[in-house]
Amino acid sequence: MNLVRLAWQVAEPVHAVLYYAPETAAATAGFALPNPWMTYFGCRVAPLGRVSASAATAVCYHLAPSMVSGSVPGLWEHAAPQRFLDARLEAVDLALARLLPEVPRRLLHLARSAASAVQNCGRALAAANAALPEPSGPRPALWQALTTMREYRGDGHIAALIGADVDPCAAHVLADAAGRAPESQSKRYHKWDETAWKTAREALTARGWLGADGSLTRAGRAAAEEIEQTTDRLARRPYSALGDAATEEFVSLLRPLADAVMAAGAVPVPNPVGFSWPPR
């Protein structure tokens, strides 16, 4: 596995804690949200401000539009974006205090340095996260830096999919066929219905990327790997700013924290994001 992809895989568990921790539900309980998915959308898109359903759908590329519009913009009637931003920092501070050993000072320095190197042009979620004030406290500060880099990679992944003419549901079908994210997980968390899934599978079969049994063809494997390689290339800038030696140090310092998260079962595997544990 290349270093950029490894750095993402090791950082993802610490970032993803927010979306599974009971502390997140507790931090947003006072908002009286009628739909539990509003917590996810509020915490994720709040850096962009009071966005519309169409804007949220654009940046949350992998999610079914009907799922997004079921939460956005209605959630802003219950809590303003700043309240979600405050809630997510409160939640990750408490959750990471429960799950992690102390955050090494050197790790925090490397994460800050990498996050400060993101290039914001064309990267909406990364730019919005990078523009936020740095949180106080090592755990929220580390989480915010990792989240900025994570959204930077995600914005680039969307660009890679669009460049390959792969629509959102087709991206899930490819991920399932490649063994990264099971169909059941994608349908549960991203809300694509059977009709959309069937249409996407048929389109990929017509392109010669899937066989009759739904498995990847040679062309499909090559296309899927090209998308991942393009994603890695578009995510490289923060780690290039660190250099290989410092990126390897970043990974080695972060790995015990990610191990602690995964050992506690705080983030499931398999998961809808498609990262494996241990990284492979």
Side-chain angles (χ1 to χ4, degrees):
M1 182 185 298
N2 68 62
L3 191 54
V4 171
R5 197 176 301 182
L6 177 61
W8 162 65
Q9 290 245 10
V10 173
E12 188 66 20
V14 180
H15 158 79
V17 162
L18 172 71
Y19 301 114
Y20 296 97
E23 288 86 353
T24 305
T28 58
F31 301 169
L33 300 170
N35 173 357
W37 280 106
M38 287 182 173
T39 295
Y40 168 82
F41 285 107
C43 287
R44 188 160 184 223
V45 304
L48 295 166
R50 195 180 287 263
V51 295
S52 65
S54 58
T57 300
V59 298
C60 298
Y61 186 80
H62 292 77
L63 305 181
S66 60
M67 178 189 182
V68 182
S69 64
S71 293
V72 184
L75 60 89
W76 308 129
E77 301 305 314
H78 297 270
Q82 186 60 52
R83 293 187 69 194
F84 280 102
L85 293 174
D86 293 341
R88 73 181 196 171
L89 291 180
E90 175 188 339
V92 296
D93 195 16
L94 293 171
L96 296 181
R98 171 173 55 85
L99 294 166
L100 299 185
E102 185 176 352
V103 174
R105 187 173 302 177
R106 174 65 174 167
L107 172 60
L108 183 54
H109 169 74
L110 292 171
R112 284 168 168 159
S113 297
S116 70
V118 301
Q119 186 178 38
N120 293 333
C121 296
R123 314 263 189 151
L125 273 173
N129 276 279
L132 295 173
E134 181 173 302
S136 61
R139 291 182 297 268
L142 175 66
W143 182 86
Q144 184 62 52
L146 297 180
T147 296
T148 297
M149 289 187 285
R150 192 266 188 191
E151 298 294 15
Y152 184 78
R153 181 183 179 89
D155 289 339
H157 185 56
I158 292 170
L161 289 168
I162 293 171
D165 195 22
V166 175
D167 69 29
C169 190
H172 291 297
V173 175
L174 273 182
D176 171 60
R180 291 196 308 274
E183 177 181 345
S184 59
Q185 292 277 311
S186 296
K187 287 180 175 177
R188 176 185 176 188
Y189 287 105
H190 301 103
K191 307 303 183 186
W192 295 101
D193 62 24
E194 187 57 41
T195 298
W197 197 271
K198 181 175 181 290
T199 299
R201 185 184 287 118
E202 289 173 347
L204 292 174
T205 301
R207 292 177 76 169
W209 290 11
L210 294 182
D213 62 354
S215 63
L216 288 175
T217 63
R218 180 180 298 180
R221 285 192 297 273
E225 182 53 30
E226 177 62 26
I227 290 168
E228 294 307 306
Q229 290 180 5
T230 300
T231 300
D232 292 337
R233 177 173 56 80
L234 294 176
R236 188 171 56 199
R237 184 182 178 92
Y239 306 107
S240 295
L242 289 183
D244 285 352
T247 299
E248 289 172 358
E249 183 184 8
F250 168 79
V251 169
S252 69
L253 290 170
L254 186 58
R255 178 65 181 263
L257 278 63
D259 279 333
V261 168
M262 299 309 293
V267 177
V269 172
N271 54 70
V273 177
F275 76 89
S276 59
W277 200 263
R280 56 179 173 83

